[in-house]
Amino acid sequence: MSATIARAWLTALPIVTACGDDDSADTTATTDATTDATTTDATTTDAGPMQPTEGPWADFEARYCPPDSLLTLENFGGPFLLDHCMSCHHSALPADMRQDAPLGVDFDQLAAVRAQAPRIWARAADQNATMPPLGPPAADQRALLGEWLACGAPQDSDLP
């Protein structure tokens, strides 16, 4: 079954299309200007309050995207989803093979991953470790997933 899913994912890569920015709510926080940027609290600059640069984060909207992130679908997201998610969350899987994964919650198309990013983050990224049910990936891998999702789940063509 894994080889079938892998072929389906690799076949789907060329047809995956990029989405525009979502209209996430502004979740910046105000804090004391003396807060250290290396803590989990937000910092304040002349431009105004910023998001915290380290977790844990209260929710997906608060999750920081490092401006120098190089994570893409091709070098991280696709392999991660294939290894940890798509054995249950793939549109080609019938209901009886999804291990109770809801129908329609599929990660074989980038647009679907981006639409489900807050839900994926809440279950499997950063400090969240309830997926996959047989055991979550290592903390460093969950942190990378959180970064990739927070940066908009880019693919190579989205980076400058």
PDB file of all heavy atoms in Angstrom, residues 8-18 108-111 155:
ATOM      1  N   ALA A   8       1.218   7.730  -5.964  1.00  0.00           N
ATOM      2  CA  ALA A   8       0.138   8.714  -6.082  1.00  0.00           C
ATOM      3  C   ALA A   8       0.643  10.101  -5.699  1.00  0.00           C
ATOM      4  O   ALA A   8       0.320  11.100  -6.349  1.00  0.00           O
ATOM      5  CB  ALA A   8      -1.049   8.321  -5.206  1.00  0.00           C
ATOM      6  N   TRP A   9       1.442  10.188  -4.646  1.00  0.00           N
ATOM      7  CA  TRP A   9       1.974  11.476  -4.209  1.00  0.00           C
ATOM      8  C   TRP A   9       2.902  12.045  -5.269  1.00  0.00           C
ATOM      9  O   TRP A   9       2.801  13.210  -5.653  1.00  0.00           O
ATOM     10  CB  TRP A   9       2.701  11.332  -2.873  1.00  0.00           C
ATOM     11  CG  TRP A   9       3.296  12.619  -2.430  1.00  0.00           C
ATOM     12  CD1 TRP A   9       4.602  12.960  -2.444  1.00  0.00           C
ATOM     13  CD2 TRP A   9       2.615  13.777  -1.951  1.00  0.00           C
ATOM     14  NE1 TRP A   9       4.770  14.243  -2.009  1.00  0.00           N
ATOM     15  CE2 TRP A   9       3.570  14.758  -1.692  1.00  0.00           C
ATOM     16  CE3 TRP A   9       1.284  14.080  -1.717  1.00  0.00           C
ATOM     17  CZ2 TRP A   9       3.235  16.009  -1.210  1.00  0.00           C
ATOM     18  CZ3 TRP A   9       0.975  15.339  -1.237  1.00  0.00           C
ATOM     19  CH2 TRP A   9       1.945  16.269  -0.987  1.00  0.00           C
ATOM     20  N   LEU A  10       3.812  11.225  -5.767  1.00  0.00           N
ATOM     21  CA  LEU A  10       4.750  11.710  -6.763  1.00  0.00           C
ATOM     22  C   LEU A  10       4.037  12.093  -8.056  1.00  0.00           C
ATOM     23  O   LEU A  10       4.419  13.052  -8.722  1.00  0.00           O
ATOM     24  CB  LEU A  10       5.818  10.653  -7.029  1.00  0.00           C
ATOM     25  CG  LEU A  10       6.764  10.407  -5.857  1.00  0.00           C
ATOM     26  CD1 LEU A  10       7.704   9.264  -6.161  1.00  0.00           C
ATOM     27  CD2 LEU A  10       7.532  11.654  -5.481  1.00  0.00           C
ATOM     28  N   THR A  11       2.987  11.390  -8.394  1.00  0.00           N
ATOM     29  CA  THR A  11       2.196  11.726  -9.565  1.00  0.00           C
ATOM     30  C   THR A  11       1.462  13.043  -9.349  1.00  0.00           C
ATOM     31  O   THR A  11       1.310  13.838 -10.269  1.00  0.00           O
ATOM     32  CB  THR A  11       1.180  10.605  -9.867  1.00  0.00           C
ATOM     33  OG1 THR A  11       1.904   9.393 -10.057  1.00  0.00           O
ATOM     34  CG2 THR A  11       0.362  10.913 -11.101  1.00  0.00           C
ATOM     35  N   ALA A  12       1.019  13.283  -8.126  1.00  0.00           N
ATOM     36  CA  ALA A  12       0.243  14.488  -7.824  1.00  0.00           C
ATOM     37  C   ALA A  12       1.101  15.739  -7.749  1.00  0.00           C
ATOM     38  O   ALA A  12       0.603  16.840  -7.950  1.00  0.00           O
ATOM     39  CB  ALA A  12      -0.509  14.310  -6.506  1.00  0.00           C
ATOM     40  N   LEU A  13       2.406  15.612  -7.485  1.00  0.00           N
ATOM     41  CA  LEU A  13       3.258  16.790  -7.313  1.00  0.00           C
ATOM     42  C   LEU A  13       3.171  17.765  -8.487  1.00  0.00           C
ATOM     43  O   LEU A  13       3.026  18.960  -8.276  1.00  0.00           O
ATOM     44  CB  LEU A  13       4.708  16.386  -7.073  1.00  0.00           C
ATOM     45  CG  LEU A  13       5.034  15.968  -5.652  1.00  0.00           C
ATOM     46  CD1 LEU A  13       6.490  15.525  -5.568  1.00  0.00           C
ATOM     47  CD2 LEU A  13       4.754  17.054  -4.643  1.00  0.00           C
ATOM     48  N   PRO A  14       3.229  17.292  -9.741  1.00  0.00           N
ATOM     49  CA  PRO A  14       3.177  18.273 -10.828  1.00  0.00           C
ATOM     50  C   PRO A  14       1.839  19.008 -10.929  1.00  0.00           C
ATOM     51  O   PRO A  14       1.783  20.102 -11.461  1.00  0.00           O
ATOM     52  CB  PRO A  14       3.405  17.427 -12.093  1.00  0.00           C
ATOM     53  CG  PRO A  14       4.035  16.167 -11.616  1.00  0.00           C
ATOM     54  CD  PRO A  14       3.541  15.959 -10.218  1.00  0.00           C
ATOM     55  N   ILE A  15       0.755  18.413 -10.433  1.00  0.00           N
ATOM     56  CA  ILE A  15      -0.542  19.079 -10.576  1.00  0.00           C
ATOM     57  C   ILE A  15      -0.929  19.894  -9.359  1.00  0.00           C
ATOM     58  O   ILE A  15      -1.951  20.550  -9.349  1.00  0.00           O
ATOM     59  CB  ILE A  15      -1.641  18.051 -10.896  1.00  0.00           C
ATOM     60  CG1 ILE A  15      -1.794  17.031  -9.772  1.00  0.00           C
ATOM     61  CG2 ILE A  15      -1.406  17.390 -12.215  1.00  0.00           C
ATOM     62  CD1 ILE A  15      -2.992  16.115  -9.936  1.00  0.00           C
ATOM     63  N   VAL A  16      -0.089  19.855  -8.328  1.00  0.00           N
ATOM     64  CA  VAL A  16      -0.374  20.636  -7.131  1.00  0.00           C
ATOM     65  C   VAL A  16      -0.215  22.102  -7.479  1.00  0.00           C
ATOM     66  O   VAL A  16       0.749  22.501  -8.106  1.00  0.00           O
ATOM     67  CB  VAL A  16       0.590  20.241  -5.990  1.00  0.00           C
ATOM     68  CG1 VAL A  16       0.426  21.167  -4.810  1.00  0.00           C
ATOM     69  CG2 VAL A  16       0.350  18.809  -5.568  1.00  0.00           C
ATOM     70  N   THR A  17      -1.174  22.891  -7.070  1.00  0.00           N
ATOM     71  CA  THR A  17      -1.108  24.317  -7.385  1.00  0.00           C
ATOM     72  C   THR A  17      -0.912  25.131  -6.131  1.00  0.00           C
ATOM     73  O   THR A  17      -1.307  24.739  -5.049  1.00  0.00           O
ATOM     74  CB  THR A  17      -2.398  24.781  -8.082  1.00  0.00           C
ATOM     75  OG1 THR A  17      -3.489  24.512  -7.220  1.00  0.00           O
ATOM     76  CG2 THR A  17      -2.578  24.075  -9.404  1.00  0.00           C
ATOM     77  N   ALA A  18      -0.287  26.258  -6.281  1.00  0.00           N
ATOM     78  CA  ALA A  18      -0.042  27.142  -5.148  1.00  0.00           C
ATOM     79  C   ALA A  18      -1.288  27.960  -4.862  1.00  0.00           C
ATOM     80  O   ALA A  18      -2.019  28.327  -5.765  1.00  0.00           O
ATOM     81  CB  ALA A  18       1.129  28.072  -5.469  1.00  0.00           C
ATOM     82  N   ASP A 108      -2.956  14.643   0.174  1.00  0.00           N
ATOM     83  CA  ASP A 108      -2.231  14.325  -1.049  1.00  0.00           C
ATOM     84  C   ASP A 108      -2.254  15.476  -2.055  1.00  0.00           C
ATOM     85  O   ASP A 108      -1.668  15.352  -3.122  1.00  0.00           O
ATOM     86  CB  ASP A 108      -2.734  13.022  -1.676  1.00  0.00           C
ATOM     87  CG  ASP A 108      -4.233  12.971  -1.826  1.00  0.00           C
ATOM     88  OD1 ASP A 108      -4.912  12.665  -0.845  1.00  0.00           O
ATOM     89  OD2 ASP A 108      -4.716  13.239  -2.935  1.00  0.00           O
ATOM     90  N   GLN A 109      -2.890  16.571  -1.728  1.00  0.00           N
ATOM     91  CA  GLN A 109      -2.872  17.779  -2.555  1.00  0.00           C
ATOM     92  C   GLN A 109      -2.441  18.953  -1.680  1.00  0.00           C
ATOM     93  O   GLN A 109      -2.950  19.128  -0.566  1.00  0.00           O
ATOM     94  CB  GLN A 109      -4.254  18.076  -3.143  1.00  0.00           C
ATOM     95  CG  GLN A 109      -4.757  17.004  -4.087  1.00  0.00           C
ATOM     96  CD  GLN A 109      -3.963  16.981  -5.383  1.00  0.00           C
ATOM     97  OE1 GLN A 109      -3.602  18.023  -5.925  1.00  0.00           O
ATOM     98  NE2 GLN A 109      -3.684  15.782  -5.870  1.00  0.00           N
ATOM     99  N   LEU A 110      -1.527  19.752  -2.169  1.00  0.00           N
ATOM    100  CA  LEU A 110      -1.002  20.865  -1.379  1.00  0.00           C
ATOM    101  C   LEU A 110      -2.101  21.837  -0.959  1.00  0.00           C
ATOM    102  O   LEU A 110      -2.103  22.325   0.174  1.00  0.00           O
ATOM    103  CB  LEU A 110       0.099  21.599  -2.144  1.00  0.00           C
ATOM    104  CG  LEU A 110       0.801  22.722  -1.386  1.00  0.00           C
ATOM    105  CD1 LEU A 110       1.391  22.233  -0.070  1.00  0.00           C
ATOM    106  CD2 LEU A 110       1.872  23.358  -2.255  1.00  0.00           C
ATOM    107  N   ALA A 111      -3.050  22.095  -1.823  1.00  0.00           N
ATOM    108  CA  ALA A 111      -4.140  23.008  -1.469  1.00  0.00           C
ATOM    109  C   ALA A 111      -4.911  22.478  -0.257  1.00  0.00           C
ATOM    110  O   ALA A 111      -5.314  23.248   0.615  1.00  0.00           O
ATOM    111  CB  ALA A 111      -5.077  23.205  -2.652  1.00  0.00           C
ATOM    112  N   GLN A 155       6.029  25.451  -1.600  1.00  0.00           N
ATOM    113  CA  GLN A 155       6.761  24.518  -2.466  1.00  0.00           C
ATOM    114  C   GLN A 155       7.930  25.293  -3.039  1.00  0.00           C
ATOM    115  O   GLN A 155       8.035  26.519  -2.854  1.00  0.00           O
ATOM    116  CB  GLN A 155       5.859  23.947  -3.541  1.00  0.00           C
ATOM    117  CG  GLN A 155       5.139  24.970  -4.390  1.00  0.00           C
ATOM    118  CD  GLN A 155       4.082  24.328  -5.281  1.00  0.00           C
ATOM    119  OE1 GLN A 155       3.981  23.131  -5.383  1.00  0.00           O
ATOM    120  NE2 GLN A 155       3.315  25.159  -5.937  1.00  0.00           N
TER     121      GLN A 155
END
